Amino acid sequence: MIGEVTIRDVAAVRLAAIAHRGAYEDLEAAFGRLVNVFEEGLLWRHVLGAAAIGYDNPRVTPVDKLRSDACFIVSEGCPIVAPLREIHYPEGRYAVLEVTGSYRQLPQAYAKLGDEWYPASGETHRGLVAYEVYLNNPEEVPERELRTEIRLPLT
């Protein structure tokens, strides 16, 4: 189920990211690499959640050129070293769209946010791409109970 877009204040997030190139559906491999880095570095105590960023529109960008990041939301004390990259999203106003259920709904949700809601909203984005936050873990809940927020930074 794709919910309605709401505008709300969101706290700043610090992300530890690992790059992925290719289909967004294949981001799981990048998450596997991210998990390995955190296991090897004994960094799990710093993880506050999981997120992802997709930089390109899959409707116009060839699949092999799609760029994305698999991310953990981390505490300020988390060391971020190669192959990780540090990304910050500032606190402030965000358009937020919650999706309940399969991750296969995410392309439709992004279309709803970016193609339908945003052009009619009168809002201005901050020049940062939207990111998604996974509110629960697919290893712990059935697919129908997965919850994902897509957050678009606004001015």
Side-chain angles (χ1 to χ4, degrees):
M1 179 183 82
I2 300 172
E4 296 302 317
V5 177
T6 60
I7 297 176
R8 70 170 204 251
D9 289 331
V10 172
V13 294
R14 179 177 185 238
L15 303 171
I18 197 158
H20 172 72
R21 179 143 337 227
Y24 291 150
E25 300 85 41
D26 297 335
L27 194 57
E28 188 175 333
F31 272 107
R33 293 192 311 274
L34 184 63
V35 165
N36 288 340
V37 170
F38 273 75
E39 285 180 355
E40 290 170 9
L42 303 174
L43 300 173
W44 284 113
R45 70 184 183 281
H46 297 288
V47 175
L48 305 173
I53 305 168
Y55 296 98
D56 303 300
N57 183 338
R59 288 177 290 168
V60 297
T61 304
V63 171
D64 62 329
K65 304 275 192 236
L66 292 172
R67 298 166 300 132
S68 57
D69 287 318
C71 309
F72 284 142
I73 301 168
V74 295
S75 65
E76 285 301 319
C78 182
I80 297 179
V81 297
L84 301 177
R85 200 164 50 90
E86 185 172 6
I87 300 170
H88 287 272
Y89 275 83
E91 70 178 328
R93 293 176 71 241
Y94 284 73
V96 179
L97 178 59
E98 186 169 328
V99 178
T100 302
S102 172
Y103 296 144
R104 290 186 299 275
Q105 299 177 89
L106 292 174
Q108 291 172 268
Y110 274 97
K112 179 178 180 174
L113 179 64
D115 297 341
E116 296 172 25
W117 180 86
Y118 180 72
S121 71
E123 296 287 344
T124 305
H125 68 79
R126 279 193 227 178
L128 296 168
V129 298
Y131 70 104
E132 57 198 51
V133 175
Y134 307 108
L135 302 177
N136 53 15
N137 186 333
E139 295 177 5
E140 297 172 358
V141 300
E143 183 178 63
R144 70 183 179 281
E145 294 178 18
L146 291 172
R147 293 177 50 231
T148 308
E149 279 186 353
I150 301 172
R151 300 175 178 175
L152 176 66
L154 302 173
T155 57

